[in-house]
Amino acid sequence: MASTARRDAPEPPDFGILKRLARDQLIYLLEQLPGRKDLFIEPDLMSPLDRIANVSVLKQHEVDKLYRVENRPAPSTSDQLCFLVRPRVRTMRYIADIVNADKMSGRSRKYKIIFSPQKFYACEMVLEEEGVFGDVTCDEWSFYLLPLDEDIISMELPEFFRDYFLEGDHRWINSVARALQLLNSLYGPFSRVYGIGRCAKMSYELWRDLEEESENDGQGRKPEIGNIFLMDRANGSSLQTWTTSQRCAPRWCTRGWWMTPSVSSVGVWILGQKSLLLTRALRCCSMPRTSWVTPWMLSLPQRRQGMDIKQMKNFVSQELKGLKQEHRLLSLHIGACESIMKKKTKQDFQEMIKVEHALLEGFDIRESTSFIEEHIDRQVSPIESLRLMCLLSITENGLIPKDYRSLKTQYLQSYGPEHLLTFHNLKRIGLLTEQAAGETLTAVESRVSKLVTDRAAGKITDAFNSLAKKSNFRAISKKLSLIPRVDGEYNLKMPPDMAYVFSGAYTPLSCKIVEQVLERRGWQGLEEVVRLLNGNEFAMADGAPEDGAGGDAQRVVVAVFLGGCTFSEIAALRFLGKERGCRFIFLTTAITSSARMMEAMAEAKA
């Protein structure tokens, strides 16, 4: 349990400047094409753009109409077209088709391509192959960092996980390095840098090279961030259901069970066709929202009694105006609660949580495998079935050949043979693998099989195969105590550790590594864990102050997740920061989840 004499965490730096810098640069690039123009925006840039520069700002700088980059022909009639896009080959072909169609019709227009966050040589090559390179002008919108919350910054690169970890494409490493350089120039210099993973190490080394090439104008400035920790998604894939998320977001909607402490971040709850953005300010309120909203609304009729004309005027102009907004928010919050409770109370959900906990603890593996088979046969959810198979594979260091073939066959029969590519991708990335039977055990297994029934022989085969290859997950879990051992029921109302995000069943590996490294000021004593995680760890201290020196900056840590960060990890590290009196800032290539990981594998090309 945390000490009661903890220090308050320092306030996070003001990341609003990141938005202002991005907006100013975008406006400058738009003004390089003077006059009225139509702007074509790639779909996955629309939401980030709206946070930086909304429609009214764009209109002020002579943007006439907005279009989505789509497969259908462009309907624009403007003489100037501007394209705000990601550096993707298919998008270059889309633009080239527009330019070539104008050429064939004899129409003369100006074309400008703004790449975000940077342009790649491959894109220029495609434009040249299509014969339009000389007809367009190209610029870069160095939009590397988007603040989502006061302590969450996203690079908005959801394809990073697939591109790097599956396809081995290193093109986004430069974007990560430049993002770190920007953060260091505005809020550094960072005194301590820790990291683990090949991708993390490559990003760090390129960032240091960029720092050496540029003029280091941060010397002498008071830093706002003292520590930074880089880690790969490969070193801590989160495939468990974040059961706490069923409680966190709308915990003000009722008393009792939903009073579980919550430190989750910005999220979107889907209510029919309407999305409700739940901000951290609401999620982390110190009491259930209805405990003050409802009495306030109910008291209004009584409060208006006995008012004079002036007071009545103030009541109508001030308080009733707020009532309408509060009533709308309360309706949406209650709707969110009903939607979440409907899912949580389903029998399938409860059974799935039990299976996940059993897999994490290494109990009832055969029963869990049978549950997954039933889940597949009933066609409950293709993504959930994949996630459960991957969780079984990771915790058991691969599926035994018999189970792998059986589950794969059943899945393809239930959901279609097109998922062969999905299995190939999952195997390639190491999320769903097949164990290699131990050669030294084969002879013994064969002799024993002849002496028992077929059913018993199958169980013995399973046992031999599980012995043939030691599970790294089990070893890491034991070394770092990822699965808490508590007497009785885990206390979710006053949680003792970060495992509360999974209802006390599991502490996210990435968060536990961060905790241990920061506590030890390095990797000393974690050599075995590092070996099991395939190494590539590093720790650098550039003029790090002594203990007690350096002020609040030394209690601010940037946790960099390369490949995506989950809400469970955000919640866990926020809890740790609260307990330790420090502030965690989350920098991620994108907010992700186990479902998004599975979808990325299903969509990726071999």
Side-chain angles (χ1 to χ4, degrees):
M1 191 69 68
S3 169
T4 56
R6 68 169 72 97
R7 291 189 296 174
D8 291 335
E11 290 298 313
D14 177 16
F15 293 118
I17 189 174
L18 296 173
K19 287 186 178 181
R20 294 192 292 271
L21 287 172
R23 181 174 62 248
D24 292 346
Q25 187 189 16
L26 178 61
I27 290 172
Y28 172 79
L29 293 173
L30 291 173
E31 290 178 346
Q32 297 303 300
L33 192 64
R36 300 184 70 83
K37 51 193 161 284
D38 286 352
L39 180 62
F40 288 75
I41 309 170
E42 202 143 17
D44 59 350
L45 278 173
M46 284 186 165
S47 179
L49 177 63
D50 189 55
R51 290 173 174 267
I52 299 298
N54 54 29
V55 174
S56 61
V57 173
L58 298 176
K59 294 286 186 182
Q60 292 172 13
H61 297 279
E62 300 185 286
V63 172
D64 190 14
K65 296 179 181 179
L66 300 174
Y67 298 96
R68 287 166 59 101
V69 172
E70 297 176 320
N71 292 327
R72 59 187 180 182
S76 174
T77 58
S78 175
D79 290 333
Q80 297 192 116
L81 303 184
C82 185
F83 300 88
L84 181 60
V85 298
R86 294 292 193 193
R88 294 169 179 151
V89 169
R90 67 173 183 272
T91 308
M92 296 303 101
R93 298 197 189 282
Y94 168 84
I95 296 172
D97 289 344
I98 293 175
V99 177
N100 284 326
D102 287 346
K103 284 182 178 180
M104 292 181 66
S105 63
R107 183 170 188 177
S108 177
R109 292 201 274 198
K110 289 184 178 180
Y111 312 93
K112 183 181 182 68
I113 303 175
I114 301 176
F115 293 96
S116 176
Q118 64 185 94
K119 64 182 177 182
F120 295 138
Y121 177 70
C123 295
E124 295 180 334
M125 287 295 295
V126 171
L127 294 173
E128 190 171 349
E129 289 172 2
E130 296 290 333
V132 300
F133 185 71
D135 300 301
V136 302
T137 57
C138 299
D139 266 310
E140 291 181 338
W141 182 29
S142 302
F143 173 43
Y144 296 113
L145 300 171
L146 174 66
L148 299 180
D149 202 347
E150 65 176 11
D151 60 352
I152 303 176
I153 307 172
S154 174
M155 293 186 64
E156 295 298 292
L157 295 174
E159 62 264 54
F160 186 101
F161 177 76
R162 182 193 65 232
D163 288 353
Y164 180 85
F165 294 104
L166 176 64
E167 299 176 2
D169 190 340
H170 294 181
R171 59 179 174 163
W172 297 117
I173 298 295
N174 184 63
S175 298
V176 173
R178 293 192 178 278
L180 293 173
Q181 183 186 28
L182 175 61
L183 206 64
N184 188 59
S185 67
L186 294 175
Y187 305 102
F190 308 140
S191 55
R192 289 189 175 90
V193 183
Y194 308 102
I196 185 169
R198 184 167 176 264
C199 181
K201 197 165 188 177
M202 289 172 61
S203 301
Y204 169 76
E205 289 172 351
L206 182 54
W207 165 40
R208 299 313 301 170
D209 291 342
L210 292 174
E211 289 287 350
E212 291 174 4
E213 293 173 5
S214 64
E215 295 182 6
N216 194 347
D217 56 359
Q219 297 298 329
R221 187 182 64 247
K222 184 179 179 181
E224 297 181 68
I225 298 173
N227 304 276
I228 185 167
F229 197 114
L230 290 81
M231 69 196 85
D232 289 4
R233 178 76 273 159
N235 285 324
S237 294
S238 185
L239 294 170
Q240 299 77 38
T241 297
W242 180 24
T243 53
T244 305
S245 68
Q246 311 305 323
R247 307 180 176 93
C248 303
R251 66 191 177 96
W252 53 83
C253 297
T254 185
R255 294 184 181 273
W257 182 76
W258 257 320
M259 283 295 288
T260 301
S262 166
V263 280
S264 58
S265 63
V266 175
V268 176
W269 296 95
I270 305 300
L271 305 175
Q273 299 300 316
K274 186 176 290 186
S275 297
L276 170 61
L277 189 67
L278 300 176
T279 64
R280 183 174 181 271
L282 293 179
R283 283 185 165 192
C284 299
C285 57
S286 59
M287 57 193 302
R289 193 167 176 77
T290 50
S291 65
W292 59 270
V293 173
T294 305
W296 178 76
M297 291 193 294
L298 294 176
S299 68
L300 287 176
Q302 290 77 23
R303 291 173 59 191
R304 73 170 185 264
Q305 302 297 326
M307 291 183 178
D308 57 28
I309 298 298
K310 185 176 180 180
Q311 291 172 328
M312 185 67 73
K313 183 178 179 181
N314 182 66
F315 175 81
V316 171
S317 62
Q318 299 294 327
E319 301 199 39
L320 281 185
K321 184 179 179 181
L323 174 62
K324 186 177 180 180
Q325 175 71 1
E326 292 292 346
H327 187 273
R328 185 181 70 86
L329 289 175
L330 183 60
S331 298
L332 290 174
H333 295 161
I334 293 174
C337 286
E338 291 174 345
S339 177
I340 293 166
M341 281 297 294
K342 185 178 179 180
K343 178 178 180 180
K344 183 212 169 276
T345 54
K346 285 184 178 179
Q347 184 67 24
D348 284 343
F349 181 83
Q350 297 294 337
E351 290 179 358
M352 185 171 64
I353 296 300
K354 291 179 182 178
V355 168
E356 291 179 9
H357 290 188
L359 291 176
L360 289 169
E361 296 181 11
F363 299 142
D364 300 328
I365 301 301
R366 298 311 308 169
E367 288 78 359
S368 298
T369 304
S370 298
F371 174 86
I372 298 173
E373 290 176 338
E374 182 184 351
H375 197 273
I376 294 171
D377 294 340
R378 290 169 53 211
Q379 297 182 333
V380 177
S381 166
I383 294 298
E384 286 298 316
S385 296
L386 279 178
R387 186 179 62 80
L388 289 172
M389 284 191 287
C390 290
L391 184 59
L392 173 61
S393 175
I394 288 175
T395 54
E396 294 300 304
N397 213 28
L399 303 180
I400 61 176
K402 179 173 67 70
D403 284 347
Y404 181 85
R405 290 191 295 269
S406 174
L407 289 171
K408 181 179 179 180
T409 300
Q410 292 179 68
Y411 189 93
L412 295 176
Q413 289 174 345
S414 291
Y415 298 114
E418 64 272 15
H419 288 284
L420 271 171
L421 178 58
T422 304
F423 277 86
H424 169 79
N425 291 331
L426 289 170
K427 189 172 185 178
R428 185 175 170 187
I429 205 172
L431 287 178
L432 182 56
T433 60
E434 182 179 5
Q435 288 183 3
E439 296 179 359
T440 58
L441 299 176
T442 305
V444 179
E445 176 187 344
S446 178
R447 291 181 182 179
V448 174
S449 303
K450 296 176 181 178
L451 303 178
V452 296
T453 63
D454 290 341
R455 184 176 180 182
K459 293 184 177 180
I460 292 173
T461 299
D462 293 349
F464 278 126
N465 279 320
S466 64
L467 288 172
K469 195 172 183 182
K470 184 181 177 182
S471 171
N472 283 355
F473 175 83
R474 299 275 175 246
I476 294 171
S477 177
K478 185 176 180 181
K479 289 281 184 184
L480 295 178
S481 300
L482 297 182
I483 300 174
R485 301 299 177 188
V486 294
D487 296 328
E489 189 175 349
Y490 190 91
N491 189 345
L492 285 172
K493 292 185 178 181
M494 297 185 64
D497 52 41
M498 294 183 288
Y500 93 96
V501 298
F502 290 119
S503 297
Y506 174 73
T507 303
L509 172 59
S510 54
C511 302
K512 195 68 174 182
I513 291 174
V514 170
E515 177 191 38
Q516 291 295 310
V517 171
L518 293 179
E519 193 175 88
R520 301 163 188 261
R521 297 290 182 92
W523 297 95
Q524 298 81 7
L526 297 173
E527 291 80 8
E528 181 63 16
V529 172
V530 167
R531 185 188 66 79
L532 293 169
L533 292 173
N534 299 320
N536 287 302
E537 81 286 359
F538 55 93
M540 306 294 175
D542 297 332
E546 299 296 329
D547 292 347
D552 285 346
Q554 295 308 310
R555 294 192 290 132
V556 178
V557 183
V558 177
V560 183
F561 291 83
L562 302 177
C565 179
T566 65
F567 285 126
S568 58
E569 289 164 324
I570 292 172
L573 286 180
R574 279 180 173 163
F575 176 87
L576 179 64
K578 184 178 179 182
E579 295 295 290
R580 299 292 176 87
C582 62
R583 170 76 63 175
F584 283 97
I585 307 297
F586 303 90
L587 170 56
T588 177
T589 49
I591 298 294
T592 191
S593 66
S594 56
R596 289 175 184 171
M597 290 180 188
M598 298 298 101
E599 289 166 359
M601 294 300 100
E603 296 169 0
K605 297 178 181 179

